[in-house]
Amino acid sequence: MELSDANLQTLTEYLKKTLDPDPSIRRPAEKFLESVEGSQNYPLLLLTLLEKSQDNVIKVCASVTFKNYIKRNWRIIEDEPNKICETDRIAIKGNIIHLMLSSPEQIQKQLSDAISIIGREDFPQKWPDLLTEMVNRFQSGDFHVINGVLRTAHSLFKRYRHEFKSNELWTEIKLVLDAFAQPLTNLFKATIELCSTHANDASALKVLFSSLIQIAKLFYSLNFQDLPEFFEDHMETWMTNFHSLLTLDNKLLQTDDEEEAGLLELLKSQICDNAALYAQKYDEEFQPYLPRFVTAIWNLLVTTGQEVKYDLLVSNAIQFLASVCERPHYKHLFEDQNTLTSICEKVIVPNMEFRAADEEAFEDNSEEYIRRDLEGSDIDTRRRAACDLVRGLCKFFEGPVTGIFSGYVNSMLQEYAKNPSVNWKHKDAAIYLVTSLASKAQTQKHGITQANEFVNLTEFFVNHIQPDLKSANVNEFPVLKADGIKYIMIFRNQVPKEQLLVSIPLLINHLQAESIVVHTYAAHALERLFTMRGTNNATLITAAEMAPFVEVLLTNLFKALTFPGSSENEYIMKAVMRSFSLLQEAIIPYIPSLIAQLTQKLLAVSKNPSKPHFNHYMFESICLSIRITCKANPAAVGSFEEALFMVFTEILQNDVQEFIPYVFQVMSLLLEMHKNDIPSSYMALFPHLLQPVLWERTGNIPPLVRLLQAYLEKGASTIASAAADKIPGLLGVFQKLIASKANDHQGFYLLNSIIEHMPPESVDQYRKQIFILLFQRLQNSKTTKFIKSFLVFINLYCVKYGALALQEIFDSIQPKMFGMVLEKIIIPEIQKVSGQVEKKICAVGITKILTECPPMMDTEYTKLWTPLLQALIGLFELPEDDTIPDEEHFIDIEDTPGYQTAFSQLAFAGKKEHDPVGQMVNNPKIHLAQSLHKLSTACPGRVPSMLSTSLNAEALQYLQGYLQAASVTLL
Amino acid sequence: PLKQITIDIDAMRRQRMEVNVELRKAKKDEQILKRRNISFSSMGECLSPEQEKKNAVSTLSLEEIVQAVNGNNPELHLKATQTARRMLSRQRNPPLNQIIEAGIIPKLVEFLSHNDNVTLQFEAAWALTNIASGTSDQTRAVVEAGAVPAFVALLSSPHMHISEQSVWALGNIAGDGPMYRDSLIHNNVIPPLLALVSTSSLVFQVGFLRNITWTLSNLCRNKNPYPPLEAVRQILPVLIRLLKHEDKDILSDTCWAVSYLTDGSNDRIHVVVETGILPRLVELMASPELSVVTPALRAIGNVVTGTDEQTQMAIDAGVLTVLPQLLQHPKPTIQKEAAWTLSNIAAGPCHQIQQLITCGLLLPLVELLDKGEFKAQKEAVWAVANFTTGGTVQQVVELVQYGVLKPLLNLLSARDGKTILVILDTISNLFLAAEKLEETEKLCFLVEELGGLEKIEALQTHDNTMVYRAALGLIERYFASEVCGLESSITCDTGNLALSCAPL
C-alpha cells in the first residue's frame, strides 16, 4: 500500500463503514481492514488519517484502529513471522510521541496506550530515544503536552510495581532513573510553584493537579523496587513537598460530587501510598520524615468528611497509620493517652459508622453488601481500614485502647436504649467496635486460654445480641438483626455451646425475615454452626439436639428460597445441604416433599443456570437425599429414579451443559445403589453415552467415565450378552482418552473396569489391539502420569488373567517384549506408583510375575527375577518417588488428575474406593512371602540361590522380616 | 499427586549478589575502596616544625609547579612536589584532574626512585597516593606512568614513612578493580607486604599495620575474576595472624578481606575454611564493634552459602549461638545479614535445621519476621521458606508452634512481589506438612483465622502472574472446599492436633 491520497480515501471509506450499525455493512469492512493490515504502510496511513483527516469521527476511529492494530501485531513472537515491517516500525516510533502530544485528548489516550504497548516490547533497547524525547517535552511549559508525557511514562513504568527483581529490569530502571529522575524532580518543583502562582485560577489548577497526581504515581513506580540513590539524595525535596501537599486545601479544587473522588483526594491518596511505601520498605532512611507524615495524615483524617468520594483517601490514610503504629520504634508517636483517645474518637469511631451509602446497599444491593461484609471483599472500605487500625494499636496499647472503646461502646448503647428507632445506628457501631476489638483476641486465643479480658463476649452476647434476635418482629431493625447474626457467626468458637443452642431456633426464625441480608445471614450462620466440630471430631451440634427443630428448619429454609431475590440464594442452598448432612435419617419422613421441591427447583433453574454455587449445593442436596434414604431402604432408589429421570432427560435433551456432569454423577450414584443388576432404563441410555459429541467436552469426561464404570460394575454380563456390538464403541472411548495427555488416566480407569468386570471371552478379540495402542502412546509421549497408570493396568491384568497371560500377550506383540517391559518400565518406574490401592495391585501383580510365571525361572528373563523382587521390596519400603522430569514440569495443571476445572465433583456423590484385589490379598507382604514359599517348594534350592547372589543386603533383611511374619521358610 | 502449581522455589543457598545492578546508594557500612591522605596523619609528624613553616609559605601556581618538576633544580623539585601534594590533600575539591592534565605524573613517579632524597620520595608518594584515590581514570593515570613497580620497590624502603605511604598508594590502586589488583600481584606486591607485617606487628605503630591490612583486603577484593588462588593462599596465614590483633580497625579490615575471599564458589570458600579460621570469625561476630561485626558476619554468611560440609564447619564454630543476638541487633542491616545467614543454614539438610532449632533460633526468627525492618523481614521470609522446604514434618510443626504463621501471613501485604511469592510457596509447604499429619483442615482454619485467607484471596488479583497463580493454586487446592462446601463429612480425619499457635 502506498502512502497515496487514493489509499487514504479508500481507508477512510472503510473506516466509516466499520461504524455502521448494520452488520452487513460493518462486518465486510472489518474483514477488509483485517485483510490489508499486513501490508506495508498500513499503520502509517492510519497515523496520517488520525492526524490530518477533516472528519473528527474518522480521526478517532483511526486512532482506535491503530491502537488495536499495535496491540495485535507489534509483539514479535518467536517462530512466527514479523507482522509489521521494519521501516514501518521505525516510522511509527519516530512519529508517535509527537503525534500523541499534539492530538486532542480523545486521540491522545489511544496513542498513549499504543506507545505503552510498543514500549513494553521495544523500550529501552529498541527505542533508545524515547526517554530523551519525553523528557525534552517537560520544558515545553505546555501542561497538555506534559500530562501526555506523564501518562505515557506511567503506563511504561507501572510494571516496576509488580515485576520481580532481575538484572534486566533493574538495568532498565537505572536507565530510566538516570534520564528521568532529575527532570521529574524539577518538574515536580516547578509544578508546585505554578500551583501557588495560579492559586486563584481553577482551570489552571486542575491541569496542574493532574500533573501532580501523575508525578506522584511515577514516584511510586520508580521507588518500588528499591530506594534509588537519586531519590535518597532528594528525599528532602520530595517529602517536604508531599507533606505540604497533604496539608493543602483549596476551595477551587473541591468538588460537589459526593461519589467521585476529586483531584485533591486522588493526589493525597497517592501521597499516602507513597509515604506508606517508604515507611514499609525504607524505614531506616525515611525515619526522620515519618513523624511529620503521621501528624499530617491524622489531621487529614480528622478533617475529612463522610462522603463516599473520600473513601479511598481515608482508607489509604488509615492503612498508613495502621502500618506505622505497630512498629516498635514508632510506639512513642501514639503512646500518649490524649493521642490515643483522639485517634479512637476522631479517626476510628467516625469511620465505623453505618453510613447512608451502606444503608442503601443493605436494602437495594444486598448481594454486594453481603459480599463485602461477609466474604471480606471489603479490603478498601473505611470500616475495614478502621478495624485494621484498631488491631494495629492493640499490639502495644491493648489495655488503653480497649478502655477508651469500652466507654464508647457503653455510651453508644445508652444512646440506642434511649430511643432505639432513631438511634439504632449507634448500636450498630457499638457491635462493630466490639467485633473489631475482640477479633484480635480471637486470633490470640489459639493455644492460649486467655481471650481478651476487656471484652466479655458471652456477656455482650446475652445482654445485647440475643434480645434483638428474640424480639417477636423479625423484620424490625434489619441491620441490627444482621449484626446480631453475624456476631454469632464470628464468635461461634468463643460463645459457649449452650448459648449457641439457644440461638438456633432464633436463627431458624430469622430465615423468615423479609430482608435478604437477614435471612441470608441466618442461613449462613446455621450452616456454619452445623459444620463446627466438637469432641471426637463429631459435629458440635448433634442431630439429636436438632430433633425438635427439624420440621421448622426444613420448612423455613425452603420458604426462604421463595423470597424475591433469594430464589437462587447459594447460602440458603448450602444450609439445606448442610442440614441434610447433619440431620441424616431424621429427614427421611420429609423426603417426598423435599425431593419434590428440589426437582422443581432443578427444573426451574435448568432453564437458565446462572448461579454455579447454588446449583452445586442443590445437586449435593439431591445426592444426600438419595444416600440417606437408600442407606435405610435400598429399594427406595426406584422412587428417586422416578422423580428425577424426567428432569434429567430434559436436561440431557436440551443439552444444558452446566448440569450434564452433575446428572451423570447422580445417575452413577443411583446405579451403584442397585444390587448386581442393571435396570433396562439404564441400558436404553447406554448407546447414547458412547456418542463422541458428549466426550468432546472436557467437563463431561470424568463423570461419564465414572458412569460407564458403574455400568460395567453392575452390568458387565448384560453388556456382553445384550450389547456386545457396543464393545467396540466402549473401546473407542478408551482409545480417544488414552491419546490425550490430559485424559489418559480416565482412559485407564475405563480400561481397568473393562478388564476387571467384563467376561474375558467378550474382550478376547480386542486384547492385543489394546496393548498395541498403549505401546503406541508410550512411544509417542511418555509422561510420568501415563507410566503410573500403565503400571497399574498391566499389574491388574496380571492379577486378573495371570502372569503367564501377561507374558504371552507382550511376547506375541514382539519377541522378548516382556523382558523389555520388565527392564525398562516396571523395575525402574514402579517406585512412582502412588495410592494405596494402586500400590497393592502392583504388589500382587509383581508377586504373580515372580512366582507364577515359568519363563521367569528358566529363560533369559531369569536374570530379571532378582531385580524385580528388589523393586517390589522397594515399593513396599521406600518412600514414593514423586520426582517429575523437568520437561514435564510445566504441563498445565489441568492435565493432572484430581484437578477439576470444568468438572465440578460432587462430594456427596462420592465413589467408594474400589479395591479389586481386596478379597484376594489382605497383606501383600505376607502374600509375597507365601507365594515365594510356594515357589520354593516347587523348585527347591533355586529361590535361595537367586536371593543370595544378587539381592542387596537391606532388601534381604526386609524379605526375611516378611517370611518371619508369614511363618514360612524358603527351601 | 497433584503437581505444585507455583514454580518450586527449592531451598537454595542464595549467594549475595543475585542482581549485579544496584539502584541503591553504596552503603556506608561497606568498606571503602580508595582513600585519600587528607590531613596530617602519622607521617606528617615526621616533618620537622621548621620544614613545615617553610612549606607553609611556599605557594606555587600550577604552571610554576610544572616548570619546577621539569627543571633540574632538586630543591625546586621538592618544593613543587610538596605544593602539589598540599593541593591534592585539600579537604575540598582537590585538583586531581588539573594535576593529571598538567602532565607531571611521570615526573612524580620518577621522583619515587630518588633514594637519595627521602623527603622528595615521600612527597611524591603522597601526591600519587591521592591521585590514585580518585576515579578509575585518575588511578589509571598513575598506573600508566609506571608507578606500580616503583611503589612495590619502595615497600622495602628503610624509611618507615615511605614504605607506609607506598602501602597506601598500592591499596588505592588495588581497590580500583580486579585488573589492577592482579597487575599488582604480578608485580610481586605480596611478599614485601607480608614481610612488612611479620616485622611490623611489634615494631611499628598500629597506624601502619592498619594501612597494610587495608591494602591486603583490597588485594583480596573484587570478583570477575577473583584474585588468583595462589595469592589467596599466600595472604591467608597473615590474615589469620591479623585476626588475633586487638585493634578494631585492623580486625575490621581483616574480616572484610576474609569476607571477600569467601564471597564466591565453594572451592573459594574451601580455601578459607580449611585454615581453621572460622571459630575466630564467629567470636568476632559477637564483637561490640559494629565495624567488626559487619564484615565478620558477612564472611560467615558467605561461608554458609557453600556446601553442607562447609556450613557444618560454621555451625561447629558456633555460628548458631551468636546469631540469636544478631537477629535482635539494634542495626537493621545486621538483622538483615543475620537473617540472610540463617536462611542459608535453613537451606541445609534437616540435621542442620535441627541444630538451628536446638540453638533457639526460632524465637528470634519469628520475632524478626514480626517486628523487623522490611529488608530484614524479607530475609526472614526466605529463612522460613527454606526451613519449610527442607525440614521434617516435626520440625515444621515446631516452627508453626513458635507462631510463625501470623507474621508470615501479615507480610502477604508487603509491597514486594517476590516476597509474597516466597510466602505463598511457604504456605504451600506448610500444607504439605499438614497433609501428612492429616491436619489440613486445622491449618486452613488457622490461616483463615489469622486473616491469611482473605489476603490470599486478594492476591488473586495481583498484577504479577506468578503471584496470582500461586494464590489461586492455594485457594483451589485447600480452600475451594470451604467455598464449595466439599469439606466432607465423608472423610474422617483423626489424630491429635499438632499444629497450633504458640502464645504470642
Side-chain angles (χ1 to χ4, degrees), chain B residues 210-396:
Chain B
R210 282 181 192 155
N211 262 329
I212 300 173
T213 314
W214 174 73
T215 299
L216 279 174
S217 76
N218 269 355
L219 286 170
C220 298
R221 199 169 187 171
N222 287 312
K223 315 195 226 184
N224 305 316
Y226 290 103
L229 267 182
E230 198 31 55
V232 174
R233 288 214 173 83
Q234 280 178 299
I235 293 174
L236 264 168
V238 176
L239 293 181
I240 290 171
R241 271 181 55 201
L242 289 169
L243 273 188
K244 295 191 184 120
H245 216 278
E246 292 298 316
D247 181 72
K248 73 175 165 72
D249 292 337
I250 291 174
L251 286 175
S252 172
D253 283 337
T254 313
C255 288
W256 279 116
V258 180
S259 80
Y260 303 141
L261 295 180
T262 50
D263 181 9
S265 56
N266 297 346
D267 51 325
R268 292 265 151 190
I269 296 174
H270 176 75
V271 174
V272 177
V273 296
E274 70 176 349
T275 62
I277 202 173
L278 295 185
R280 175 60 179 159
L281 275 179
V282 168
E283 202 173 284
L284 291 171
M285 279 167 66
S287 156
E289 294 296 339
L290 185 65
S291 62
V292 177
V293 176
T294 304
L297 172 57
R298 175 78 59 92
I300 290 290
N302 289 339
V303 168
V304 300
T305 64
T307 64
D308 290 348
E309 291 71 34
Q310 290 164 347
T311 304
Q312 190 59 45
M313 290 171 84
I315 295 175
D316 294 341
V319 61
L320 290 173
T321 55
V322 189
L323 278 182
Q325 70 200 64
L326 296 186
L327 287 171
Q328 301 165 60
H329 199 276
K331 286 291 276 189
T333 343
I334 297 289
Q335 295 174 8
K336 182 194 85 172
E337 293 267 332
W340 169 66
T341 305
L342 184 59
S343 78
N344 280 328
I345 299 175
C350 50
H351 65 87
Q352 289 179 352
I353 292 181
Q354 192 54 44
Q355 283 180 291
L356 180 162
I357 297 174
T358 314
C359 291
L361 266 302
L362 292 190
L363 189 64
L365 174 62
V366 170
E367 274 285 295
L368 189 66
L369 201 61
D370 189 26
K371 301 207 177 77
E373 213 199 305
F374 182 67
K375 55 184 180 234
Q377 286 176 320
K378 226 158 85 172
E379 294 298 336
V381 165
W382 273 107
V384 171
N386 286 343
F387 187 107
T388 57
T389 308
T392 63
V393 172
Q394 200 41 51
Q395 289 167 340
V396 171

Side-chain angles (χ1 to χ4, degrees), chain B residues 34-204:
Chain B
K34 298 178 185 176
R35 301 177 304 158
R36 202 151 57 89
N37 188 353
I38 292 174
S39 57
F40 291 116
S41 64
S42 53
M43 56 231 60
E45 292 145 27
C46 300
L47 300 170
S48 70
E50 298 95 284
Q51 275 176 312
E52 269 309 302
K53 214 195 248 164
K54 202 168 78 191
N55 293 337
V57 290
S58 69
T59 46
L60 295 177
S61 69
L62 199 52
E63 276 168 37
E64 289 167 326
I65 292 176
V66 174
Q67 255 174 16
V69 296
N70 287 319
N72 294 322
N73 185 340
E75 221 165 285
L76 277 178
H77 283 170
L78 176 62
K79 194 176 174 189
T81 307
Q82 212 160 47
T83 314
R85 183 272 293 169
R86 290 177 154 274
M87 294 162 86
L88 291 166
S89 309
R90 285 211 295 255
Q91 191 82 29
R92 287 177 173 277
N93 305 323
L96 268 66
N97 280 338
Q98 286 96 307
I99 299 275
I100 295 170
E101 281 154 20
I104 64 166
I105 292 186
K107 276 289 169 189
L108 294 177
V109 172
E110 189 193 313
F111 295 161
L112 290 180
S113 55
H114 285 211
N115 289 332
D116 52 336
N117 190 344
V118 175
T119 318
L120 179 63
Q121 263 184 332
F122 174 67
E123 290 290 351
W126 186 346
L128 289 170
T129 301
N130 284 2
I131 298 172
S133 77
T135 63
S136 269
D137 284 340
Q138 291 162 342
T139 309
R140 190 174 59 232
V142 175
V143 175
E144 285 180 351
V148 172
F151 275 125
V152 173
L154 284 182
L155 287 177
S156 314
S157 162
H159 306 281
M160 193 177 74
H161 65 294
I162 290 188
S163 69
E164 178 169 11
Q165 193 59 57
S166 305
V167 167
W168 190 329
L170 290 166
N172 277 341
I173 295 168
D176 186 71
M179 199 174 80
Y180 284 159
R181 177 202 64 203
D182 288 350
S183 100
L184 288 189
I185 293 171
H186 292 135
N187 274 288
N188 259 325
V189 75
I190 294 177
L193 259 185
L194 297 188
L196 280 175
V197 179
S198 323
T199 54
S200 68
S201 309
L202 297 170
V203 186
F204 299 151

Side-chain angles (χ1 to χ4, degrees), chain A residues 101-119:
Chain A
L101 296 172
S102 54
S103 299
E105 198 157 323
Q106 223 176 347
I107 293 169
Q108 191 175 73
K109 223 187 136 322
Q110 300 298 331
L111 290 177
S112 174
D113 285 352
I115 291 170
S116 64
I117 297 165
I118 298 172

Side-chain angles (χ1 to χ4, degrees), chain A residues 617-831:
Chain A
Y617 299 133
M618 178 179 59
F619 278 104
E620 292 280 21
S621 303
I622 291 172
C623 290
L624 271 166
S625 313
I626 297 169
R627 291 175 84 102
I628 293 168
T629 313
C630 295
K631 195 171 145 201
N633 173 20
V637 65
S639 52
F640 281 105
E641 284 165 351
E642 209 172 298
L644 291 167
F645 272 20
M646 283 269 291
V647 195
F648 284 1
T649 312
E650 211 170 306
I651 289 171
L652 292 174
Q653 274 170 356
N654 295 333
D655 194 23
V656 184
Q657 299 192 13
E658 294 87 339
F659 284 0
I660 288 178
Y662 288 117
V663 167
F664 290 148
Q665 289 177 82
V666 179
M667 285 180 61
S668 304
L669 180 67
L670 288 167
L671 180 51
E672 282 158 8
M673 292 289 170
H674 284 273
K675 295 260 177 245
N676 297 328
D677 65 323
I678 187 159
S680 56
S681 53
Y682 287 88
M683 279 314 289
L685 190 64
F686 186 59
H688 300 287
L689 298 180
L690 303 175
Q691 284 173 5
V693 54
L694 274 180
W695 293 90
E696 259 146 36
R697 279 183 225 136
T698 46
N700 286 350
I701 290 174
L704 260 178
V705 168
R706 157 102 193 267
L707 183 56
L708 288 181
Q709 284 183 286
Y711 269 83
L712 287 163
E713 192 187 328
K714 298 294 172 188
S717 55
T718 316
I719 294 173
S721 59
D725 57 326
K726 297 292 177 275
I727 295 175
L730 200 57
L731 291 169
V733 170
F734 153 76
Q735 184 178 355
K736 180 181 156 56
L737 293 174
I738 215 79
S740 136
K741 273 192 213 169
N743 296 317
D744 49 14
H745 62 291
Q746 296 284 350
F748 275 111
Y749 292 161
L750 189 60
L751 180 60
N752 290 345
S753 285
I754 293 173
I755 294 300
E756 194 188 342
H757 300 293
M758 289 297 282
E761 60 283 4
S762 66
V763 288
D764 215 21
Q765 51 175 316
Y766 309 108
R767 281 201 265 159
K768 194 165 166 186
Q769 189 56 33
I770 291 172
F771 276 85
I772 290 173
L773 285 173
L774 293 176
F775 276 116
Q776 276 168 355
R777 166 63 211 273
L778 206 54
Q779 272 172 332
N780 291 339
S781 79
K782 180 177 134 184
T783 63
T784 307
K785 178 162 77 94
F786 184 86
I787 296 274
K788 283 161 75 173
S789 300
F790 179 72
L791 284 168
V792 174
F793 161 72
I794 55 178
N795 280 297
L796 181 73
Y797 188 93
C798 176
V799 171
K800 183 81 187 170
Y801 290 93
L804 198 56
L806 184 72
Q807 177 258 322
E808 281 170 2
I809 199 158
F810 277 129
D811 285 348
S812 75
I813 294 169
Q814 188 184 305
K816 296 182 189 161
M817 175 74 105
F818 183 56
M820 210 155 78
V821 171
L822 283 174
E823 194 179 350
K824 297 279 164 57
I825 302 178
I826 300 188
I827 294 171
E829 308 276 11
I830 196 72
Q831 208 60 42

Side-chain angles (χ1 to χ4, degrees), chain A residues 12 77 79 135 164 311 383 575 577 654 799 820:
Chain A
T12 307
I77 301 166
D79 300 330
V135 165
F164 294 152
D311 282 6
R383 272 195 158 189
M577 172 191 80
N654 295 333
V799 171
M820 210 155 78

